[in-house]
Amino acid sequence: QRMAKRNAIVKKLSSVETLGSASVICSDKTGTLTRSEMTIERIMTASGNTRVTGVGYDPRGRVEHEGSELKSGALYPENIVVLSGGSLAGNAYLRQTEDGRWEVQGDPTEAAFLVAERKLGTHERREQRFERIGEIPFTSDRKMMSTINIDHEHDGDVVLIAKGAPDVLLKRCTRARLGTDVIPLDDSLRQRILGDVDDLSDDALRTLGVAYRPLDSGADPSAGERLEQDLIFAGTVGIIDPPRKEVGPAIREAHRAGIRVMM
């Protein structure tokens, strides 16, 4: 037994010596270099763009435009539709534990909408206003999902709300949200939206679009994908997975040691 233990120690020391001569470190990203807590950082709508402060699942932060908290103007209702719509078109849950921590059940990207919506301060109204009665699930082929909801603030009208890849949603949209109005989605506006998506992607942000459509009183909620037409485009969000605090110093230390870091 003593000999086996000695051999195990020698083997371990040998591994450490080998690691000490490493010149390249290859690392996973999500959950290793990052916190795996998807966070909406920017929102692009017809009237302009806003920034969302704070990172992670803790909903401390705010939605800002040009450095000031967003509280009015055309951007405000546009941001409400984007964040509340994205929250409705998902199945994640955000809750605070007894020790004060915020945690998520479900997809982290869907949770990003719930957190940003709380920063805007509109989550309670949305929770009371809408009641889900149907869902068209996400698939990798469709690259989008939709939910069908009763709007209790508008005499029980039914509305379809969709979330997905912006280019996929745009193909199903004929109109766009501008303030509290709905305008035709012409080629100029369509190209501008695609340009917003490119700008967010160039900044290494994951992009998702939100769209919606009021349904006719006789619409069949079980009609599925056939309802996902003639949508109103609301806006695009840019999402980041924030890095862990210790990652920057660790990578700098590796560089000082002459070690190349690859992700």
Side-chain angles (χ1 to χ4, degrees), residues 49-159:
N49 65 83
T50 55
R51 291 189 175 272
V52 184
T53 65
V55 295
Y57 294 149
D58 189 333
R60 284 180 294 181
R62 65 182 191 175
V63 180
E64 296 181 343
H65 176 60
E66 297 180 346
S68 299
E69 185 175 5
L70 182 66
K71 293 183 177 181
S72 61
L75 278 169
Y76 185 66
E78 292 170 5
N79 276 244
I80 290 176
V81 174
V82 171
L83 296 181
S84 295
S87 297
L88 284 166
N91 293 308
Y93 293 92
L94 175 70
R95 72 181 189 94
Q96 191 172 23
T97 63
E98 292 183 357
D99 60 2
R101 292 181 302 105
W102 290 89
E103 64 178 22
V104 162
Q105 293 180 339
D107 183 87
T109 302
E110 292 185 349
F113 281 94
L114 297 172
V115 176
E117 184 190 30
R118 279 182 174 265
K119 294 174 183 177
L120 190 61
T122 57
H123 62 287
E124 291 182 351
R125 179 184 176 188
R126 186 261 306 165
E127 290 170 353
Q128 295 172 1
R129 175 176 175 177
F130 294 99
E131 176 186 351
R132 182 185 296 193
I133 59 173
E135 178 180 337
I136 308 171
F138 173 89
T139 69
S140 56
D141 291 331
R142 284 167 33 78
K143 296 182 180 179
M144 63 177 290
M145 73 167 288
S146 300
T147 60
I148 301 168
N149 306 268
I150 296 174
D151 185 349
H152 292 294
E153 284 190 7
H154 288 82
D155 300 321
D157 289 349
V158 179
V159 59

Side-chain angles (χ1 to χ4, degrees), residues 156-158 214-221:
D157 289 349
V158 179
L215 298 178
D216 297 333
S217 58
D220 180 5

Side-chain angles (χ1 to χ4, degrees), residues 168-177 182-187 189-190 193 211-214 227-234:
V168 171
L169 283 185
L170 276 174
K171 293 176 182 178
R172 299 173 181 263
C173 292
T174 58
R175 297 166 288 169
R177 180 73 176 232
V182 174
I183 61 174
L185 181 60
D186 58 21
D187 290 340
L189 182 53
R190 191 180 297 270
I193 292 170
Y212 69 100
R213 172 194 171 191
L227 298 174
E228 296 173 321
Q229 304 295 333
D230 193 28
L231 302 181
I232 302 165
F233 193 82

Side-chain angles (χ1 to χ4, degrees), residues 216-249:
D216 297 333
S217 58
D220 180 5
S222 65
E225 295 182 37
R226 286 177 292 171
L227 298 174
E228 296 173 321
Q229 304 295 333
D230 193 28
L231 302 181
I232 302 165
F233 193 82
T236 307
V237 300
I239 304 174
I240 190 173
D241 187 359
R244 294 180 178 272
K245 292 181 180 179
E246 62 269 26
V247 166

Side-chain angles (χ1 to χ4, degrees), residues 18-69:
T18 302
L19 180 61
S21 63
S23 59
V24 178
I25 296 174
C26 296
S27 173
D28 179 32
K29 179 182 73 70
T30 303
T32 303
L33 299 182
T34 67
R35 293 166 53 173
S36 191
E37 295 182 2
M38 304 303 291
T39 305
I40 291 179
E41 191 173 77
R42 293 169 64 186
I43 305 169
M44 315 287 273
T45 60
S47 297
N49 65 83
T50 55
R51 291 189 175 272
V52 184
T53 65
V55 295
Y57 294 149
D58 189 333
R60 284 180 294 181
R62 65 182 191 175
V63 180
E64 296 181 343
H65 176 60
E66 297 180 346
S68 299
E69 185 175 5

